[in-house]
Amino acid sequence: MAENGEIDYSLNNPDTLTKYKTAAQISHRVLEAVTGWCVEGEKILEICQRGDKLLEEEVAKVYKGKKISKGISHPTTVSPSSFVTPYTPLSTDAEDASVTLKPAEVIKIQLGAQIDGFGAIVCDTIIIPSEKNENDNLPGREADLLLATHYANELLLRLMIPRGLLATGSDEEKKTAAAEKPLTQSKITTLLEKVVKSYGCSLVESTTCWLFERNEIEGKKKIVLAPSEGSKGEGVPEVGEVWGVEMGVSLGTGKVKTLGNRPTLHRRTTITYGLKRPSSRQILSEIVKKFGTFPFSLRQLDDERAAKVGVVECVRSNVLRQYEVVGDKDGEPVARLLSTVAITKNGLVRLSAPPSPDLEKYKTDKKITDEEILKILEQPVARSTGAKSKNRKKKKKPAKRASEEEEGDTSDEE
C-alpha cells in the first residue's frame, strides 16, 4: 500500500509482479495450445475463436471471488506469411473467414491475458509443418529469417537493460558503467541491423516497443526500430518498468504497406465524445464493459454485423483506435516476436516470452561475425540470485558463442 492509503500498482508492490506472472502463465499455456492447432488446412478464424475461448477459460480459474478485473489483454491473432500486424478475420467476411494455413507458411501467433489490468502479451513465429521442414529441421531462407529474428530479439532485450545495472568489478568500475549515457534509439537500430543483415534480412520499419502500465499497453515511452519518416521513439527503459518488447524481421526490404483486409482490431482511447448514433453508443458501452482499454476484435462482440456498423462513428471520432492490417511491401515472409518484460534491480525478467527455439535445427551457412554484437549476446539479462532454475534439468544444447542464456536463469528473478 502507498503511504496515502492508495494501492501501489508499481513493481514495488509484490502483488503487481504476481499478477503479471499469473497473466503470463495463462498466455504461455494458451500460446502452446494454439501453436499445436496451427497445421495445414486449419482455418485462421476457427483457431482465433478457439484461442479466445481457452483464454477466457484459463482466466476464469484464477483470482476467483476477487473483486478485480481480469480477461483478455490481446485477442488471439494468427497472421499469414507476409502480414506484419496481428490478424484476426470475422465470420461475416466470407473471403477472410475461409483463409486456411498453408504448408511451410511463416505464421505469427499473438495473444495475451490480464489480471487486474496487468497485461502479459506474447507473440511467436512458427513454420507450418510440411515436407520441407520434416523432422522439424528448417533449411533455407526460413531458417535465416527465424535465426535473424531470434538473435535480434536477444540483442534488443540486452539493450533494454539500463546502463551499468548488471556491471561487475570494483565499485569505481560499476559507478563508471552506470554513468554511461543510454544508447540512442538510432544506435539500437544500427546494432540490430547488423544482426539481421548477417542473415540477409531486414528490420521491419517502425517496429515499436511500448511501456506497459496498468490498463495501458501503449504508455508514455516507446522505442521505434527502423523508424519510417515522421515516426520516432521517446524515453528510455528504467528499473521498475514493464515493457512490451517487439521484434519484426523481413526476408525483404522491411518496408510495409497497408493491406486491403478489413481492420478488425480496435482499442478504446481516452478521448470522450458524444456519439450521435444509438448503435455506436451501444457498441461502445459493450466495449467498455468487456475490454476496458485493451485491444479487442470485432468478432468478440455480441453482434458482429452490428459491430461493423457501430465502430465507424467511434473510429471517426477517435473514441476507438483502429489497427490497420499492414503487410510486407514486397509480399516477403515476416517474423515477429513479442515479450512482456519487467526491469528490476536484478535485471530483466521475461514475464511472457516466446519459447526458446532449438537452434540446431535451423540449417544455414550464415552467422553473426561482428565482435561487438557477439560480446553483447554473451552477456546475461539478469543477475544470478542463487535461486534454482526450473529448467536446469532440461538437456543442455551445444554451446554457441552467440547463444542466449537458459530461459530459466531469468524467469524467477525478481
Side-chain angles (χ1 to χ4, degrees), residues 350-366:
R350 304 183 206 224
L351 298 170
S352 60
S356 298
D358 185 349
L359 303 176
E360 291 300 310
K361 292 183 177 180
Y362 296 166
K363 307 301 180 183
T364 181
D365 57 355
K366 299 180 178 65

Side-chain angles (χ1 to χ4, degrees), residues 2-20:
E3 290 182 3
N4 59 5
E6 295 182 1
I7 297 176
D8 179 7
Y9 288 114
S10 74
L11 291 183
N12 292 328
N13 184 348
D15 288 345
T16 296
L17 195 56
T18 297
K19 290 170 182 175
Y20 268 121

Side-chain angles (χ1 to χ4, degrees), residues 298-313:
L298 296 182
R299 63 176 171 75
Q300 294 174 283
L301 297 171
D302 292 340
D303 187 333
E304 193 176 286
R305 293 186 186 279
K308 290 195 288 187
V309 176
V311 297
V312 174
E313 184 185 4

Side-chain angles (χ1 to χ4, degrees), residues 182-183 185 188 220-223 233-238 241 243:
L183 292 178
Q185 298 200 13
I188 291 174
K220 299 172 183 176
K221 297 181 182 181
K222 62 180 179 179
I223 295 173
E234 186 175 354
V236 296
E238 297 179 76
E241 295 178 342
W243 282 73

Side-chain angles (χ1 to χ4, degrees), residues 197-210:
K197 293 299 182 186
S198 299
Y199 294 95
C201 299
S202 304
L203 290 176
V204 173
E205 68 174 333
S206 296
T207 296
T208 306
C209 306
W210 287 95

Side-chain angles (χ1 to χ4, degrees), residues 238-393:
E238 297 179 76
V239 171
E241 295 178 342
V242 173
W243 282 73
V245 181
E246 182 169 347
M247 176 51 58
V249 179
S250 168
L251 281 180
T253 62
K255 299 297 182 182
V256 302
K257 65 178 180 180
T258 301
L259 303 179
N261 305 73
R262 178 195 299 274
T264 63
L265 280 178
H266 296 76
R267 178 171 174 265
R268 185 165 64 92
T269 68
T270 57
I271 294 174
T272 56
Y273 179 82
L275 298 171
K276 296 178 176 60
R277 295 173 63 93
S279 61
S280 303
R281 294 196 295 270
Q282 182 178 347
I283 289 298
L284 182 61
S285 176
E286 182 183 354
I287 290 167
V288 171
K289 182 179 179 181
K290 285 186 174 180
F291 313 110
T293 55
F294 287 103
F296 63 92
S297 168
L298 296 182
R299 63 176 171 75
Q300 294 174 283
L301 297 171
D302 292 340
D303 187 333
E304 193 176 286
R305 293 186 186 279
K308 290 195 288 187
V309 176
V311 297
V312 174
E313 184 185 4
C314 295
V315 171
R316 189 170 57 239
S317 58
N318 295 318
V319 173
L320 293 181
R321 175 184 171 183
Q322 177 173 284
Y323 291 90
E324 301 296 332
V325 182
V326 174
D328 186 87
K329 189 174 183 179
D330 305 313
E332 292 289 339
V334 169
R336 275 199 316 116
L337 301 176
L338 192 153
S339 306
T340 302
V341 304
I343 303 174
T344 73
K345 62 182 181 181
N346 290 320
L348 185 144
V349 181
R350 304 183 206 224
L351 298 170
S352 60
S356 298
D358 185 349
L359 303 176
E360 291 300 310
K361 292 183 177 180
Y362 296 166
K363 307 301 180 183
T364 181
D365 57 355
K366 299 180 178 65
K367 62 180 181 179
I368 301 169
T369 57
D370 186 281
E371 290 296 330
E372 181 183 14
I373 301 297
L374 292 172
K375 185 176 180 181
I376 298 173
L377 285 171
E378 288 175 350
Q379 298 171 3
V381 296
R383 183 182 294 111
S384 175
T385 57
K388 291 185 178 180
S389 168
K390 297 177 182 178
N391 295 333
R392 294 289 184 188
K393 294 180 180 179

Side-chain angles (χ1 to χ4, degrees), residues 81-95:
S81 184
S82 63
F83 284 45
V84 172
T85 51
Y87 173 70
T88 176
L90 304 181
S91 60
T92 52
D93 290 340
E95 186 176 347

